[in-house]
Amino acid sequence: MKIPLRQLSRQLERALAPAYLVAGAEPFLVDQALEQIRATARAAGFADRELHVVDRSFRWAELQASAGNLSLFAARRILELRMASPRPGEAGGAALGELAASGDPERLLLVAVNAKLDAPAARSAWVKAFEEHGVLVEVWPVDRGELPDWIAARARHLGVELTADAAELLADRVEGNLLAADQEIRKLALTLPGRAVGAAEILAAVSSSARFDVFRLSDAVIAGDPARALRVLAGLRAEGVEPTLVAWALNREITLLARVSYAQAHGENVDNALARLGVWRQRQAAVKQAVRRYGAPRMTQLMRQAAEVDNVIKGAALGRPWEALTGLVLALFPRAAPAAR
């Protein structure tokens, strides 16, 4: 059987299969799926767990021998394997296929692949063995458009009720990093239990983290506030934040503005472009104003200067990283500084 992750809970409610293969390029979701399966297995009496991590020195014969001896030492045990690649080699594929097909009622086979199953891997005999004798759980990344709903659902699961604006803001802040989103939600569950959480609480909750402080710089740039932008930049420097992270935040905003400007110049409705690019609804008006401040030639200059700053930070060009970043921030405010070269 092959199912998407969203159907795993329903499948586990029906019956616990003898073998599961969980595969996908989103580690957090893969781990969540594994925990669901383990919890169901523990409730069914699989009290012990034997974990193997497959690397270059891994010996498949030893795994097969261990699997065959499980019932001699402990009843109902989880045999779990972690793999970074869906290509276990000839010996590995044969061993996995055999274990998946064996159907030992005292053993639950649980295999996690932290990578997408490409077409050749999906057609391989060992993967087909899991589909035939167990369950293949396909894990897909959460699209940006679906991320606020995922965040809201995850928050409800952890006892936090987020407003729609709060979920959108957190989605914008975590940039698709589900682990970061989960960590922020868990902090909210500890600090703001039993109450609805809005956008203001999200901003206050994440303001102490350097990972999110750079967004205050982004907000100042989009708002057209040079004094605040330079003040935040100085604070980031004083706190020892890596220049690479600051450059990433500025590049993110410059790229966003360039994409919106390009879409508008080629006849796309600006509201459609903002929605397509995943801009938080309450931020859209500010982004529209920012786009109007820059023409196409100016955007080209800014992108070129951002690339030069990146080279300075990487040591590929002469200069001091923080001075280069300050120059880029000044260049983002045409009335506050000369045009970028």
Side-chain angles (χ1 to χ4, degrees):
M1 178 190 305
K2 178 167 67 174
I3 61 172
L5 177 58
R6 65 177 180 274
Q7 294 180 9
L8 177 60
S9 296
R10 188 182 308 168
Q11 189 281 320
L12 290 171
E13 289 174 359
R14 290 197 302 266
L16 183 66
Y20 286 86
L21 169 59
V22 181
E26 177 48 70
F28 180 81
L29 294 181
V30 170
D31 286 343
Q32 289 295 301
L34 294 176
E35 182 52 40
Q36 275 189 268
I37 297 168
R38 289 192 210 104
T40 303
R42 286 194 294 269
F46 289 84
D48 295 325
R49 172 172 169 247
E50 182 176 320
L51 176 63
H52 298 267
V53 178
V54 178
D55 55 21
R56 291 182 179 180
S57 62
F58 189 76
R59 297 184 179 181
W60 292 98
E62 292 182 3
L63 173 68
Q64 289 176 293
S66 176
N69 291 333
L70 287 177
S71 60
L72 298 179
F73 299 102
R76 307 187 77 75
R77 179 177 299 187
I78 300 172
L79 180 62
E80 183 173 333
L81 286 84
R82 293 294 192 110
M83 298 167 53
S85 166
R87 290 175 172 76
E90 184 176 349
L96 288 170
E98 181 180 332
L99 289 172
S102 64
D104 186 341
E106 303 302 314
R107 180 189 68 225
L108 173 67
L109 178 61
L110 182 55
V111 177
V113 178
N114 287 314
K116 177 184 175 182
L117 291 181
D118 55 20
R123 291 193 300 266
S124 63
W126 74 272
V127 172
K128 292 297 183 183
F130 275 86
E131 289 188 52
E132 181 179 354
H133 303 285
V135 177
L136 165 59
V137 183
E138 292 187 307
V139 177
W140 299 97
V142 179
D143 292 337
R144 177 57 183 84
E146 300 172 346
L147 188 54
D149 288 341
W150 183 91
I151 286 174
R154 182 65 182 163
R156 283 193 296 272
H157 177 72
L158 295 174
V160 178
E161 191 65 36
L162 296 180
T163 65
D165 288 341
E168 286 194 20
L169 177 57
L170 187 53
D172 189 58
R173 290 304 194 244
V174 300
E175 277 290 294
N177 187 329
L178 301 188
L179 178 58
D182 184 69
Q183 290 173 341
E184 291 304 319
I185 293 168
R186 288 179 182 276
K187 286 192 290 185
L188 291 170
L190 291 173
T191 57
L192 300 172
R195 54 173 292 188
V197 177
E201 286 84 0
I202 294 293
L203 287 171
V206 303
S207 63
S208 63
S209 169
R211 168 66 178 82
F212 294 96
D213 278 346
V214 293
F215 285 102
R216 292 191 293 167
L217 176 60
S218 300
D219 290 342
V221 167
I222 294 297
D225 188 342
R228 182 184 174 210
L230 291 170
R231 187 167 58 251
V232 173
L233 183 68
L236 292 170
R237 182 176 184 176
E239 291 172 8
V241 175
E242 287 294 327
T244 303
L245 183 59
V246 180
W248 168 82
L250 294 173
N251 282 330
R252 175 178 180 264
E253 298 307 324
I254 292 170
T255 301
L256 170 64
L257 296 177
R259 287 177 175 174
V260 175
S261 179
Y262 178 87
Q264 192 174 25
H266 287 75
E268 184 176 357
N269 179 277
V270 66
D271 292 323
N272 292 341
L274 291 169
R276 176 173 56 81
L277 293 169
V279 178
W280 177 43
R281 187 172 62 251
Q282 289 194 356
R283 200 170 187 248
Q284 290 181 3
V287 172
K288 288 180 185 178
Q289 293 178 359
V291 169
R292 286 195 289 269
R293 288 200 299 270
Y294 305 102
R298 183 70 181 172
M299 292 306 310
T300 300
Q301 291 174 341
L302 288 170
M303 293 185 74
R304 185 182 300 119
Q305 186 167 352
E308 292 174 358
V309 171
D310 191 56
N311 285 333
V312 170
I313 292 174
K314 292 177 178 177
L318 294 177
R320 298 178 179 178
W322 282 104
E323 291 180 0
L325 286 167
T326 302
L328 179 57
V329 170
L330 290 171
L332 283 159
F333 301 98
R335 296 179 182 177
R341 296 192 303 272

